[in-house]
Amino acid sequence: MKKLSSGLLSLVVLFSLSVAATSVYAQEVGASTVEFPYTGNRTAVWIVAQLHILFAAFILGAPIFVVISEWLGYRKQDPRYDRLAKEVTKVTVILFSMTAVTGGLFIFVLLAAYPQFTTSFINQFYVVFAILYPALFITETILMYAYLYTWDVWKGEKKGRHIVLGVLLNLVCLLILFVINGPTSFMNTPPKAEGVSPQDFIAAATLWDKIANQSWFPLSLHRIDGNVAFGGFITGLIAAYMYMGSKTQEERAYYDWMGFAAIWIAVGGSLLQPFTGLLLAYEMCDYDFSFCPYMMADQLSMFFETQGIMIGLLFLGINYYSWLSVKRIEGADNVRMTILAPIVLIVLLPATMWVMDKFWIPDPMSLAFLLPLVLSPFLFGRFIPKTVSARTVIKIGFIIMLISDAVWLTPAGFVATGTDMPDEMKLPEGWDYLSSMPAKLSAILTLVYVTVVNYVLYNRTIKQGTILWGKIDFAAQFVLIFLAFTSTWIMGLMGAVRSLLKKYFHVYSLVSDLSAESFTPTLSYSVWWITAITVVFIGIVSVAALVALRPSVARVREPEGSPVPIAAK
Amino acid sequence: MGNIFKKLGIGLVVGGALVVVGHSQELPVSFQVLFFIVALIGAIVFMLLDAKPIGTMSGGKSVFAVTAFWILLITVCIAGASLLPQFDPEDEKAKIGKLLDKERKQSAQGKAEELIARAKALDAQVKALEERLKGIGGGQAATATATPPAGDKPSAAAGGGSASGDVMKVGEEQWQLQECYNCHKLRGEGGKKRGPELDNIGSLLTVEEIQQKIEDPKSFMAEGYEKEWQKGIMPNKFKDLMDPKEMQALAAWLGTFKNASVNTPKPIKKN
Ligand code: HEM
């Protein structure tokens, strides 16, 4: 209980601090007189905002699968799930306080760097910032501590009650996400109407109008599945550290399993990401088409090139992890798959590119071609006697992934902005299809499909063979670290992209950013900060994991702990 | 070791083949480099797939290995992104400076009178120019003489004294600042097929009509852009980003483009 009260106290102090700061700054309306040393004002805001969203993403994403895991443990009577859930919750609670700290810091830095805008923005969303958000946040604090501290009390008969509490916690988390994404998305796509000036429209708009702006829902969707994936990857990182630090084979077996479970969840979320991400981009471009060239062709085009590289590597990493996992399954060599699978893998990319060229997205014809194609191995596979070994299918999958990556990474030209691209830098005619949206989409679809096929195979192998828990190639732990790094880094990159999309405005086309820093920074500069933020974040997570999980290592070694059989399935 | 050399060899061969094909197809060098790098990444991926498992490391050794791995990741990320072409913020700063100039001054206050005075002067210039344009127009809008040759400064073709020259400058500047060129080709520059080429717009619309189109993009719709998603491409925001004088100047400047050899689609009046 001591932790709970000190947590609450620090929250209240932070909140009153920020309110006090609001009123102080509100009096001296005008340009900021504060200049953050070394970083400058914009980058100072950037750093705390990004750190804050990283912690927030974890504490919103983790509870989703914690409850699922707790429920699975209850249903299957497998203590590993319950242990996973509890350990992640312990880390979540520590990171929760980091969320509060960075959140308070965020408001503080914002007020110092952009006093005029911040005060007016808070006024714009007064009910959200003064009532809804604090109330939800305090509710979440109480629920989260209650959830952790009732863990060992509400078990056995009362487990159901504990799970309900977890579900409640998740509902509040989701509500927070939707509420705070209102002001965030508002800055990108403030609601507007034809025939009315934006200023007049906003003055007359209700709070709901402002929250339910065009990019609000897609942003929230993309963040929900992003957060689940992110929570999974970070849990994988924790599992890797704990595996490396394990002293006994039992511990190793458990943390090997934890990494496996975490990546399962992360992959589930990641496979949805391209679709919700495209929906988000689509709504943004629909709101103002000039976002589209700014992102994909002009100032931010190389940011997207970088996103392509990193997501390509992320998918390679995910599949490499499942390859290593399959390798330590006894009997994996006997698993075979219909020959239709590698055939579809090979034709999918060119076929999709052709279909997307003929029938662009909203056209149902594209689905009429592609759905039967991608489903055929699963529907008709059993009727075809010829089969291929799992290893061969996975290796073909890797080649296809590399080709898809190459397509995804082919821009119209390697230039910083496409507005004045010299002809000699452009893809020559006949090849320019490779740089078009349909080609990119085909490439992402293929990456997703290869991953799905690999996971189907992986699942089949698990069913037919015996997993030697704790015997995974040690290299897999480095893959887990790599995945956590990459996904955090991508979040940093895309967060920067979303924020930069506002161009020289605080609120797009409504409130200009009159400071001297409203230009698009270079990719190199951005990447330095994104990397630094990632390192700080992962550093803090690592410390939190060590602090939270060390004692449990000791406890589990006592006889009452639940030893995991090495070859358990 | 055999594994590494074999995969490296295959990677180099595949990469080399891609470079040769790319070269023969006249792909720019940067693309050849891209494909070569992907081939090498492929080689690394396959080395890893077939690599012998690493044994469990001791605590101290794994801390060292993880640290080294981190340093490698950080270096690759920063170096990789820094090697890509970088957009020069100076290009944008000057533009943003001009766009925000007014607001900055306003927020600094005290400059309001000066602004009004300048606006009035500009207004007078526009009026004068409109008179002159009407004079030139006279039914033979699309004649060769009124057509500014591609690449030429249209203000020169439109002629006129320093007053209209100023308006023309403001107009052209707005074209640059509002980034119309992102969607429209003009004088053979910009475009990318998002919107129509505008070199003949002066023969199809009057200056007032062009201004109407900028103010409310739904007022006229170019022929051939009837698909639902195309109708919303031209942003409906310029009236909020430019003041009326600037919009007039931009319209007046565009009105001088009467190059009949360019196939600017016909605008159709909507409302
Ligand atoms: C496998 C593919 C993808 C992954 C793994 C991914 C991952 C992520 C993650 C983790 C975030 C941060 C979410 C948050 O801050 O809560 C994000 C944000 C974003 N993504 Fe994606 N994404 C993917 C595909 C896409 C695509 C295809 C697009 C559009 C072309 C896109 C556009 C964006 C944008 C604009 C943001 C900014 C939202 C923000 O403010 O955080 N994403 N993405």
Side-chain angles (χ1 to χ4, degrees):
Chain A
M1 273 301 127
K2 223 180 88 199
K3 255 194 207 158
L4 171 60
S5 49
S6 65
L8 270 179
L9 187 71
S10 58
L11 203 77
V12 171
V13 170
L14 270 176
F15 184 65
S16 44
L17 244 178
S18 62
V19 171
T22 318
S23 46
V24 168
Y25 277 106
Q27 284 159 11
E28 46 152 320
V29 176
S32 172
T33 46
V34 182
E35 172 76 28
F36 282 88
Y38 188 59
T39 58
N41 286 355
R42 174 165 69 165
T43 306
V45 171
W46 180 1
I47 295 168
V48 281
Q50 189 58 50
L51 273 174
H52 178 62
I53 189 89
L54 288 173
F55 287 116
F58 182 79
I59 66 156
L60 296 189
I64 297 181
F65 70 81
V66 160
V67 171
I68 296 176
S69 175
E70 190 187 10
W71 178 73
L72 281 176
Y74 179 57
R75 220 194 49 172
K76 296 188 175 179
Q77 288 299 316
D78 182 343
R80 286 180 301 180
Y81 285 99
D82 200 65
R83 181 172 168 196
L84 165 72
K86 192 173 171 194
E87 289 193 348
V88 174
T89 307
K90 279 187 189 162
V91 178
T92 309
V93 168
I94 297 185
L95 295 186
F96 187 81
S97 54
M98 285 310 297
T99 314
V101 169
T102 48
L105 211 60
F106 181 25
I107 281 283
F108 187 78
V109 174
L110 256 183
L111 280 166
Y114 302 99
Q116 202 173 5
F117 167 68
T118 309
T119 36
S120 75
F121 191 66
I122 289 178
N123 282 335
Q124 189 75 252
F125 285 95
Y126 190 74
V127 178
V128 169
F129 287 116
I131 301 169
L132 270 178
Y133 199 51
L136 282 169
F137 207 76
I138 290 172
T139 314
E140 195 195 345
T141 318
I142 296 171
L143 284 176
M144 185 163 281
Y145 279 101
Y147 184 60
L148 179 63
Y149 287 116
T150 54
W151 206 292
D152 295 327
V153 185
W154 286 349
K155 57 186 177 191
E157 291 271 286
K158 292 183 184 155
K159 193 64 172 170
R161 202 186 288 181
H162 194 252
I163 293 177
V164 169
L165 184 61
V167 172
L168 214 65
L169 170 65
N170 268 297
L171 288 181
V172 175
C173 285
L174 279 185
L175 213 59
I176 289 192
L177 181 139
F178 276 108
V179 165
I180 201 61
N181 276 353
T184 311
S185 52
F186 174 85
M187 293 171 83
N188 276 87
T189 56
K192 58 183 179 181
E194 264 171 51
V196 193
S197 88
Q199 279 77 8
D200 292 348
F201 188 80
I202 292 301
T206 63
L207 181 65
W208 172 248
D209 291 337
K210 289 183 226 166
I211 289 181
N213 62 73
Q214 196 167 354
S215 65
W216 174 63
F217 198 65
L219 176 67
S220 301
L221 276 187
H222 195 59
R223 281 187 167 179
I224 290 173
D225 60 31
N227 292 351
V228 172
F230 181 63
F233 285 125
I234 297 298
T235 306
L237 171 82
I238 297 171
Y241 282 156
M242 299 310 289
Y243 183 96
M244 290 176 161
S246 294
K247 297 275 188 305
T248 64
Q249 190 58 25
E250 272 156 24
E251 281 300 300
R252 236 168 258 139
Y254 167 70
Y255 283 113
D256 183 4
W257 174 85
M258 179 170 168
F260 153 85
I263 295 305
W264 243 116
I265 292 155
V267 169
S270 300
L271 291 182
L272 291 177
Q273 286 289 84
F275 304 101
T276 51
L278 284 165
L279 180 71
L280 175 58
Y282 175 85
E283 289 295 339
M284 296 257 196
C285 295
D286 188 53
Y287 177 86
D288 184 332
F289 188 79
S290 69
F291 283 153
C292 226
Y294 181 66
M295 283 196 280
M296 318 269 177
D298 297 337
Q299 285 95 319
L300 295 183
S301 57
M302 287 298 134
F303 284 65
F304 270 80
E305 183 74 10
T306 312
Q307 184 219 25
I309 298 173
M310 295 306 270
I311 291 180
L313 290 175
L314 188 79
F315 271 81
L316 285 173
I318 287 172
N319 287 289
Y320 183 46
Y321 184 79
S322 57
W323 167 263
L324 290 177
S325 306
V326 168
K327 262 185 158 178
R328 55 101 198 257
I329 297 178
E330 240 175 30
D333 294 338
N334 305 327
V335 177
R336 302 183 72 79
M337 204 180 196
T338 163
I339 192 159
L340 266 184
I343 294 178
V344 172
L345 282 180
I346 291 169
V347 298
L348 186 63
L349 181 65
T352 319
M353 282 167 74
W354 180 80
V355 169
M356 293 278 170
D357 188 37
K358 286 269 173 293
F359 316 100
W360 184 227
I361 278 293
D363 193 333
M365 278 305 276
S366 55
L367 278 186
F369 273 96
L370 293 178
L371 266 186
L373 182 66
V374 299
L375 291 179
S376 60
F378 308 109
L379 295 180
F380 310 121
R382 69 198 72 188
F383 304 120
I384 295 173
K386 186 112 184 74
T387 58
V388 193
S389 80
R391 274 167 190 261
T392 313
V393 176
I394 298 182
K395 281 198 173 171
I396 292 176
F398 270 101
I399 295 178
I400 302 302
M401 270 194 282
L402 287 161
I403 297 174
S404 307
D405 281 343
V407 172
W408 193 358
L409 291 182
T410 307
F414 278 97
V415 289
T417 163
T419 42
D420 38 31
M421 177 155 18
D423 271 343
E424 65 273 13
M425 298 297 285
K426 259 189 231 170
L427 269 184
E429 208 136 330
W431 288 81
D432 49 0
Y433 178 69
L434 279 182
S435 70
S436 69
M437 259 335 258
K440 307 286 158 217
L441 208 65
S442 311
I444 309 183
L445 277 178
T446 310
L447 282 180
V448 169
Y449 186 70
V450 172
T451 311
V452 170
V453 168
N454 277 350
Y455 262 77
V456 169
L457 254 178
Y458 183 18
N459 228 11
R460 227 176 255 182
T461 323
I462 293 175
K463 283 215 185 91
Q464 295 180 14
T466 311
I467 304 189
L468 304 176
W469 292 117
K471 287 277 171 65
I472 195 163
D473 186 345
F474 202 69
Q477 310 310 320
F478 289 91
V479 182
L480 290 179
I481 294 175
F482 172 78
L483 290 176
F485 175 86
T486 318
S487 62
T488 313
W489 203 89
I490 295 175
M491 269 177 81
L493 180 75
M494 298 316 284
V497 165
R498 189 192 50 74
S499 193
L500 289 174
L501 269 185
K502 296 180 281 145
K503 302 184 194 167
Y504 53 92
F505 295 99
H506 286 305
V507 177
Y508 187 67
S509 77
L510 209 62
V511 185
S512 309
D513 175 0
L514 297 180
S515 71
E517 293 181 302
S518 51
F519 58 89
T520 313
T522 62
L523 176 61
S524 174
Y525 176 85
S526 308
V527 158
W528 270 102
W529 286 114
I530 292 163
T531 311
I533 293 165
T534 306
V535 169
V536 170
F537 173 75
I538 302 245
I540 294 176
V541 170
S542 311
V543 172
L546 288 179
V547 169
L549 302 184
R550 269 288 142 191
S552 95
V553 172
R555 217 179 303 135
V556 164
R557 274 200 227 106
E558 289 158 21
E560 36 142 44
S562 45
V564 183
I566 293 185
K569 274 208 308 166
Chain B
M1 269 300 137
N3 174 32
I4 294 182
F5 284 121
K6 191 174 149 208
K7 304 290 153 59
L8 187 65
I10 297 177
L12 288 174
V13 169
V14 173
L18 286 172
V19 169
V20 170
V21 172
H23 191 74
S24 73
Q25 295 292 315
E26 292 176 358
L27 291 191
V29 178
S30 42
F31 290 92
Q32 300 172 24
V33 173
L34 170 72
F35 294 143
F36 190 72
I37 291 176
V38 174
L40 285 190
I41 292 178
I44 295 174
V45 166
F46 275 81
M47 281 175 207
L48 287 174
L49 288 181
D50 290 338
K52 283 207 195 74
I54 322 177
T56 302
M57 289 180 189
S58 68
K61 207 170 155 200
S62 58
V63 169
F64 178 76
V66 169
T67 314
F69 188 57
W70 273 108
I71 293 173
L72 176 76
L73 283 180
I74 292 168
T75 316
V76 170
C77 277
I78 295 180
S82 301
L83 283 174
L84 289 171
Q86 306 288 319
F87 178 71
D88 183 1
E90 295 307 323
D91 290 358
E92 212 184 43
K93 273 185 195 163
K95 251 190 208 175
I96 295 176
K98 277 188 198 146
L99 282 165
L100 294 183
D101 189 39
K102 266 180 301 182
E103 273 187 75
R104 283 193 177 129
K105 289 220 175 85
Q106 259 165 13
S107 81
Q109 285 169 355
K111 306 268 180 180
E113 290 87 351
E114 190 195 316
L115 263 169
I116 294 171
R118 259 205 278 156
K120 273 193 183 140
L122 202 60
D123 195 30
Q125 288 175 4
V126 171
K127 289 244 170 66
L129 180 76
E130 273 171 3
E131 291 303 318
R132 199 163 311 170
L133 277 176
K134 272 182 202 147
I136 299 174
Q140 22 174 325
T143 53
T145 45
T147 307
D152 228 86
K153 277 243 169 2
S155 48
S162 66
S164 70
D166 278 358
V167 174
M168 286 301 145
K169 255 208 225 116
V170 173
E172 183 170 7
E173 191 175 274
Q174 285 302 319
W175 176 264
Q176 294 298 336
L177 292 180
Q178 304 299 340
E179 306 190 330
C180 311
Y181 57 77
N182 262 339
C183 302
H184 295 292
K185 209 174 206 172
L186 192 68
R187 295 181 284 182
E189 284 168 19
K192 302 207 217 60
K193 303 179 207 155
R194 293 188 188 109
E197 252 181 278
L198 292 183
D199 291 82
N200 196 25
I201 193 70
S203 338
L204 302 170
L205 290 177
T206 66
V207 172
E208 288 82 43
E209 286 168 336
I210 297 178
Q211 193 181 340
Q212 237 177 358
K213 167 77 187 168
I214 302 172
E215 251 182 76
D216 172 12
K218 296 255 157 71
S219 58
F220 288 88
M221 294 305 296
E223 207 172 43
Y225 286 78
E226 276 90 21
K227 290 215 186 92
E228 207 41 56
W229 63 274
Q230 288 172 321
K231 287 184 189 160
I233 292 185
M234 178 145 161
N236 182 8
K237 63 174 176 186
F238 295 114
K239 63 177 180 309
D240 308 314
L241 298 180
M242 292 185 252
D243 61 31
K245 300 285 161 299
E246 290 164 342
M247 218 155 18
Q248 254 171 33
L250 175 56
W253 180 69
L254 278 176
T256 60
F257 284 87
K258 298 178 180 175
N259 182 351
S261 66
V262 170
N263 191 11
T264 301
K266 223 173 98 178
I268 297 160
K269 177 115 185 85
K270 289 290 165 188
N271 49 41

